[in-house]
Amino acid sequence: MQIGTTLSQFIIEETRLYPGATGDFAALLNDLTVACKFIAAQVQRGALVGALGSAGTDNVQGEVQKKLDIISNDAILHAMDWTGHLAGMVSEEMDAPYVLPAGIPRGKYLLLFDPLDGSSNIDVGISVGTIFSVLRAPVAGRDAVAADFLQPGVEQVAAGYALYGSSNMLVYSTGYGVNGFTLEPSIGEYVLTHTQMRIPEDTSEYAINASNHRHWQAPVRRYIDELTQGREGPRGRDFNMRWVGSMVADVHRLLCRGGIFLYPFDTRDPAKPGKLRLLYEANPMAFLVEQAGGAASTGLQRILDIEPEALHQRVPVILGAKKEVERVVAYHQEG
């Protein structure tokens, strides 16, 4: 029995194939996978090591932090801050860029991450994950400042996520398609299992929190109402709804078998145009979805074209099957 193509091998071979790829980036991604393996182990052990439940603190957005939020955030920071590949890091759990230790060379990349997406589901055993995005530092060799991270998603060098569930996976793209790797626990390595993942243009499956129906704007209500009418409605066929509540799990499902995911604007708080964070969730997932042949929009604008205004900016997110996303966008244009 052969091991198969490991993530480390794949990264090195990818570096050789594509112009502009460097050994620095390959090393960066390999270091990040160490943190993901550690987080996977903590999630799996959960209550056995007292890691479940609330930490009794709030993050910068005022959300209650889980113990594993803090454990995961610290794991990534300390797996990456010594490497010399980064000029800075920002996280959904921190209000400002992380200051790298003194004496460490400042590199040419920036790392942005949500250390544990879906952590509200931790205590009930539902899949969660780490989402990450890599940008080039505008000025290599110095400490990054907050403004350096405010780049549109189209500028991402790479993006991906680690999924902690029934199997532990790492899915990423450097702009040449999307590939998925499954953690083989017997050897402690991620092994290539999903090559060039693709999202079909059409789908009969959607993911949305339907309890918010009364708060949606008219274009989204119209779209979802048509789906729920099934074969008796204007779409002429039945649709299935799937909703996990961990974005990383919902996006992983549509990368594996198609679908559309919506977390649209709702009217409850006009000051918050969306729930999901542009830099830590929307941009990396939009990058992956587009690389897999799908589309990603707020309903009014391509997500990857948004010029960020703040580190913790929120946006509506509609992504997945290209034809379905285009239909929702068309409904927004019609008003």
Side-chain angles (χ1 to χ4, degrees), residues 22-328:
T22 68
D24 283 349
F25 175 74
L28 184 160
L29 194 54
N30 271 317
D31 291 332
L32 182 59
T33 63
V34 173
C36 292
K37 293 174 189 177
F38 174 81
I39 296 168
Q42 302 309 302
V43 170
Q44 186 175 39
R45 296 169 71 191
L48 298 176
V49 293
L52 298 186
S54 171
T57 57
D58 293 345
N59 64 15
V60 65
Q61 291 91 33
E63 299 165 333
V64 174
Q65 290 178 308
K66 298 289 186 178
K67 293 176 184 177
L68 277 168
D69 283 321
I70 298 172
I71 292 170
S72 302
N73 194 70
D74 289 345
I76 295 173
L77 293 177
H78 298 305
M80 304 302 297
D81 65 2
W82 62 273
T83 64
H85 305 307
L86 298 173
M89 291 184 277
V90 290
S91 162
E92 181 179 311
E93 299 298 326
M94 303 185 301
D95 60 355
Y98 176 73
V99 179
L100 298 172
I104 300 296
R106 273 45 176 168
K108 58 185 179 182
Y109 295 109
L110 305 175
L111 179 65
L112 306 83
F113 60 93
D114 178 353
L116 200 62
D117 175 74
S119 59
S120 61
N121 285 323
I122 279 285
D123 296 347
V124 293
I126 292 175
S127 295
V128 295
T130 297
I131 306 173
F132 62 89
S133 169
V134 180
L135 296 167
R136 288 187 179 86
V139 181
R142 66 152 170 83
D143 284 312
V145 297
D148 293 340
F149 296 91
L150 302 182
Q151 302 180 39
V154 72
E155 297 296 335
Q156 290 173 108
V157 175
Y161 61 82
L163 178 73
Y164 316 123
S166 57
S167 62
N168 294 321
M169 292 192 63
L170 190 136
V171 177
Y172 86 101
S173 175
T174 56
Y176 299 96
V178 181
N179 294 284
F181 303 77
T182 300
L183 184 62
E184 170 51 79
S186 66
I187 60 172
E189 290 283 354
Y190 286 104
V191 178
L192 180 63
T193 52
H194 295 64
T195 305
Q196 290 295 314
M197 303 170 78
R198 300 295 294 175
I199 301 172
E201 289 189 345
D202 292 302
T203 185
S204 293
E205 193 165 278
Y206 66 101
I208 194 168
N209 185 350
S211 67
N212 293 328
H213 183 281
R214 66 192 185 282
H215 302 297
W216 298 332
Q217 292 179 310
V220 173
R221 285 203 309 272
R222 174 187 172 186
Y223 176 72
I224 297 300
D225 288 346
E226 289 180 354
L227 302 189
T228 57
Q229 291 173 48
R231 67 181 62 187
E232 292 78 27
R235 300 299 302 274
R237 69 180 194 271
D238 292 331
F239 288 78
N240 293 320
M241 191 183 84
R242 299 287 185 267
W243 177 254
V244 178
S246 298
M247 185 188 190
V248 68
D250 281 310
V251 172
H252 183 70
R253 183 183 58 248
L254 69 85
L255 280 171
C256 288
R257 70 184 195 195
I260 181 172
F261 169 91
L262 305 95
Y263 213 128
F265 172 84
D266 68 48
T267 58
R268 283 173 292 183
D269 185 353
K272 293 181 179 179
K275 168 70 173 177
L276 300 175
R277 286 79 176 176
L278 175 61
L279 297 182
Y280 315 111
E281 295 164 319
N283 270 344
M285 291 308 202
F287 186 82
L288 289 174
V289 165
E290 287 200 4
Q291 282 296 312
S297 174
T298 65
L300 298 173
Q301 182 180 10
R302 180 191 181 209
I303 288 174
L304 295 183
D305 288 337
I306 298 173
E307 294 284 347
E309 298 176 353
L311 289 179
H312 299 286
Q313 180 177 343
R314 299 174 190 251
V315 294
V317 172
I318 302 164
L319 52 76
K322 188 173 182 180
K323 289 184 178 179
E324 292 301 310
V325 174
E326 290 174 347
R327 179 182 290 269
V328 183

